[in-house]
Amino acid sequence: MWNQGHSQSTGGITSHNAVMSKKATLQMLPCTVSQLLSASQVSNNDFEICDWKLNQVSVVGIIRGYSPFVTNIQYSVDDMTGPPLNVKQWVNAEDCALMTFASPGTYVKVTGTLHSFSGQRSLLALNIRCIKDLNEITSHMLEVVQAHMQFFGKGKSLWKNLTCDKNSNVHKIFCL
């Protein structure tokens, strides 16, 4: 998944000794909405977090609203780390009648790519899945923390407005 430092072999998991380039592309990164909204835009639809180019990301949140259109469905997904994120899911005209929409108040896991449409960031959804077990929310947040510490260093802030003061409880939790 997002673990670039290991690969699957016939004997199990083996570690690579090669150092990854800072400009490497992460294949799948668990994120928060706040991280996606504060990511640096390096070109039209290329975004980076701490010099790592984003490819696909996953976000877990609650649907605050949706708007079905002929060619797509737009959701507003909120994980309560920042303002809700606009999520766009493209649909085929013939598939639209068969699709069920996730209703407001439903927790979902969205996998997709970050794009910018008219200066507004949106997540172009590849998959939207309703969450049935609420432990997935906690699990996703733990994956976000682990991925951030593994790829971006232990002393950097997980969210832009969070500071790593050595004397705070926040430091003990997020800035090990």
Side-chain angles (χ1 to χ4, degrees):
M1 192 188 323
W2 45 266
N3 190 354
Q4 294 285 323
H6 294 84
S7 65
Q8 187 70 32
S9 69
T10 55
I13 296 180
T14 58
S15 177
H16 290 292
N17 291 329
V19 177
M20 291 182 288
S21 157
K22 270 227 161 199
K23 289 294 182 181
T25 301
L26 297 174
Q27 296 304 312
M28 175 66 79
L29 182 68
C31 289
T32 64
V33 169
S34 176
Q35 287 177 315
L36 294 178
L37 294 176
S38 64
S40 303
Q41 187 171 0
V42 292
S43 66
N44 190 25
N45 279 324
D46 289 330
F47 294 89
E48 289 182 349
I49 296 178
C50 297
D51 293 329
W52 288 80
K53 183 179 173 192
L54 297 179
N55 186 14
Q56 291 183 7
V57 297
S58 64
V59 174
V60 170
I62 189 167
I63 293 180
R64 297 291 182 195
Y66 73 96
S67 301
F69 295 98
V70 175
T71 58
N72 65 68
I73 304 166
Q74 292 185 15
Y75 294 97
S76 179
V77 176
D78 186 7
D79 70 353
M80 291 164 243
T81 61
L85 181 65
N86 185 28
V87 175
K88 186 179 285 191
Q89 183 179 33
W90 295 100
V91 294
N92 294 330
E94 56 271 1
D95 293 341
C96 192
L98 301 173
M99 286 194 66
T100 57
F101 305 115
S103 61
T106 303
Y107 278 94
V108 292
K109 182 168 188 169
V110 181
T111 304
T113 56
L114 188 61
H115 289 274
S116 181
F117 299 108
S118 302
Q120 183 181 8
R121 293 186 186 191
S122 295
L123 191 60
L124 184 59
L126 302 172
N127 184 26
I128 298 178
R129 180 178 57 81
C130 292
I131 290 179
K132 295 186 182 2
D133 183 3
L134 295 180
N135 287 324
E136 283 190 59
I137 300 166
T138 305
S139 176
H140 177 78
M141 292 308 288
L142 290 172
E143 289 173 358
V144 169
V145 172
Q146 181 191 16
H148 184 85
M149 291 176 68
Q150 181 177 355
F151 291 112
F152 310 129
K154 294 182 180 180
K156 294 188 174 124
S157 172
L158 184 58
W159 295 280
K160 265 201 162 174
N161 59 356
L162 181 69
T163 58
C164 291
D165 179 14
K166 299 257 187 227
N167 298 322
S168 72
N169 289 334
V170 171
H171 176 74
K172 294 173 188 168
I173 297 170
F174 294 110
C175 306
L176 304 173

